[in-house]
Amino acid sequence: MHPPDTGGYGPPITEDDAEDLLRCICFKTGPPKAVGVELEWFIHDAARPRSALAPDRLEDAHQRVRELPLTSLLTFEPGGQLELSSPPAASLMECLDTAAADLEAVRRALRPAGLALTGLGLDPWHPPRRHLRSPRYDAMEAFYGRTAPPGRIMMCSTASVQVCLDAGLDEPGPLGHSRRWRLAHLLGAVLLAAFANSPFSEGRSTGWRSTREAVMARVDPVRRLAPPLDGAPRTAWSTHALDAPVMFVRTPEGPWQVPDGLTFRRWLRSGGPRPPTADDLHYHLTTLFPPVRPRGHLELRMIDAQSGRDGWRVPVAVATALFEDPEAAETVYRAVKPLAEIAAAPGNPLWTTAARDGLADPEIRAAAALCFTAALEALPRLDASRAVVDAVAAFHERHVLTGRSPADAAADELAALPSLDAQPFARPSGRT
């Protein structure tokens, strides 16, 4: 008997195999000690940021950066956004210093070409335009073209700061993986509001502080959601991942297949269009975009890219302090728990309010103030530099205490440009 043809992607797996793999690979527990960051940036003309870069100029920018000896992993998103993923660092300062050094190298490489990096959660000037061509992105665009047109905006026009933290210990308490998993989702709305930084789309005001989150919420009713938080994290995530729709089935030749309504569990049970493999399962996980994605560690995905050269350091420092310092973690958990409803984040009114109103919402602002206070107290215990503590304190005073998310400052600057006119974006209601 010939073995099943899996297209060269490895041996087939069963449903039990898939569940075992998910429990093992998504929550790797141990003492929290590593931190990382993934930084996404738009590349714009330094003198004329509203002018769309010609494809050959954007490709030249990519090639200049590819030639650099970076410590971080360099990748590019479908719309040409640049992404730097730092290696796991043993401390907050090691993470920040590594990423900062790589960013400085990138900026130096782009400067002679008259190009600069722009940190905003969503491109404020240009419609989505795909730059990269690959079977993955072709299939992804076909999938979203059929199911959710805003998916093209997500692919080509968004950028974020993703903070990566260890999953935690196999024990109760503030450093336990179950508590950290829950805290990430409860705290997520506060981080979203505090760092909301995408008030414009295609030259118009959208009415949202984080239009990026508004776009993400419209992309997929399952793929963007977190699993229920009232169960064991490993079981809940395993169930969620297997019951999520398959975006595409890879093929050795030709375009990848884009099945309609096929969940990974159904694929395992049916064995078609070809038997799935462990490699297919790993690839499937990369097509799920919840606000907190378990990848062995916890990947916090709700934070918009930040403006300025070093604005990205603040969310990394705050998130790290609130998770890695036990005293801060316990304080913040008790503070944000009453805010959240027992519903799958981000599909609840709290997250909608955070994206729409940001720190202007009084309850969210009060929670953010407590979180920043706890972070400022914890950062010296994590050996954060004076410059990092000062940056967090300055952000606290400028944004949190005044109830003005970064989006409000960005809106003031962008609204002054003659090409920007107010234009409402779809706005579902938040909390009442």
Side-chain angles (χ1 to χ4, degrees):
M1 179 181 293
H2 295 290
D5 183 8
T6 63
Y9 295 107
I13 59 172
T14 66
E15 190 172 343
D16 287 342
D17 294 333
E19 289 176 346
D20 289 342
L21 282 169
L22 285 168
R23 291 190 182 98
C24 291
I25 65 179
C26 292
F27 290 90
K28 296 179 180 177
T29 53
K33 59 181 179 179
V35 57
V37 64
E38 299 175 17
L39 301 171
E40 296 172 341
W41 302 86
F42 299 107
I43 303 175
H44 286 147
D45 187 295
R48 298 177 299 166
R50 284 174 287 159
S51 300
L53 288 183
D56 59 343
R57 197 173 176 203
L58 185 55
E59 183 54 39
D60 174 67
H62 288 182
Q63 188 56 40
R64 288 171 178 265
V65 180
R66 288 190 190 103
E67 295 172 356
L68 297 173
L70 301 173
T71 302
S72 302
L73 174 67
L74 171 70
T75 54
F76 298 99
E77 295 296 308
Q81 309 97 306
L82 179 150
E83 180 175 355
L84 291 175
S85 302
S86 73
S91 69
L92 169 64
M93 290 311 303
E94 181 184 330
C95 173
L96 295 179
D97 290 344
T98 297
D102 284 341
L103 274 172
E104 181 56 31
V106 169
R107 290 188 173 107
R108 283 199 306 266
L110 295 178
R111 198 172 296 129
L115 300 173
L117 299 179
T118 298
L120 288 165
L122 190 136
D123 189 321
W125 299 291
H126 312 124
R129 179 185 62 168
R130 260 187 71 197
H131 178 71
L132 299 186
R133 299 287 162 181
S134 70
R136 174 187 172 94
Y137 294 140
D138 291 344
M140 185 178 290
E141 188 167 28
F143 176 87
Y144 283 131
R146 187 181 67 212
T147 64
R152 183 177 174 84
I153 303 176
M154 182 200 75
M155 292 172 62
C156 303
S157 300
T158 60
S160 65
V161 173
Q162 298 174 18
V163 184
C164 300
L165 302 164
D166 282 333
L169 296 164
D170 263 324
E171 62 179 40
L175 298 183
H177 80 277
S178 183
R179 170 69 71 85
R180 286 162 72 88
W181 172 248
R182 185 170 178 81
L183 174 62
H185 291 88
L186 300 183
L187 183 61
V190 178
L191 295 175
L192 165 62
F195 299 108
N197 193 36
S198 47
F200 285 89
S201 175
E202 297 188 42
R204 294 176 172 86
S205 173
T206 65
W208 292 79
R209 263 67 170 195
S210 179
T211 309
R212 172 180 169 270
E213 179 60 33
V215 168
M216 296 293 289
R218 296 168 60 196
V219 164
D220 193 311
V222 175
R223 202 171 299 278
R224 175 59 177 160
L225 288 181
L229 299 182
D230 53 357
R234 288 188 177 95
T235 300
W237 176 252
S238 174
T239 300
H240 177 75
L242 293 182
D243 289 337
V246 172
M247 183 175 281
F248 40 67
V249 175
R250 294 174 296 165
T251 58
E253 298 178 0
W256 293 357
Q257 299 180 44
V258 183
D260 188 6
L262 179 70
T263 67
F264 203 92
R265 191 183 302 278
R266 192 174 301 158
W267 187 11
L268 288 162
R269 292 176 178 178
S270 68
R274 63 164 177 78
T277 69
D279 196 53
D280 289 319
L281 179 59
H282 282 272
Y283 217 85
H284 172 64
L285 296 178
T286 70
T287 70
L288 305 181
F289 308 111
V292 183
R293 186 161 66 180
R295 304 184 63 186
H297 55 273
L298 301 182
E299 184 181 79
L300 309 187
R301 302 175 54 86
M302 72 291 294
I303 300 170
D304 281 354
Q306 297 297 291
S307 304
R309 293 182 61 85
D310 298 318
W312 61 273
R313 296 185 307 165
V314 176
V316 180
V318 170
T320 302
L322 298 183
F323 278 84
E324 302 308 297
D325 183 83
E327 183 178 339
E330 187 65 23
T331 297
V332 180
Y333 181 77
R334 292 178 180 177
V336 297
K337 189 177 179 181
L339 267 183
E341 302 174 20
I342 304 301
N348 62 38
L350 176 66
W351 282 70
T352 299
T353 299
R356 185 191 61 206
D357 299 336
L359 291 171
D361 180 81
E363 285 187 275
I364 293 177
R365 181 168 72 250
L370 189 148
C371 290
F372 269 75
T373 298
L376 285 166
E377 293 174 354
L379 283 169
R381 296 194 290 265
L382 298 180
D383 296 325
S385 70
R386 185 73 255 168
V388 168
V389 175
D390 288 347
V392 173
F395 188 101
H396 185 210
E397 292 179 7
R398 182 185 182 191
H399 296 293
V400 180
L401 295 182
T402 62
R404 287 174 54 83
S405 301
D408 294 298
D412 290 343
E413 297 173 6
L414 295 173
L417 300 177
S419 66
L420 293 172
D421 303 309
Q423 177 66 44
F425 195 80
R427 293 177 55 162
S429 61
R431 294 182 299 161
T432 57

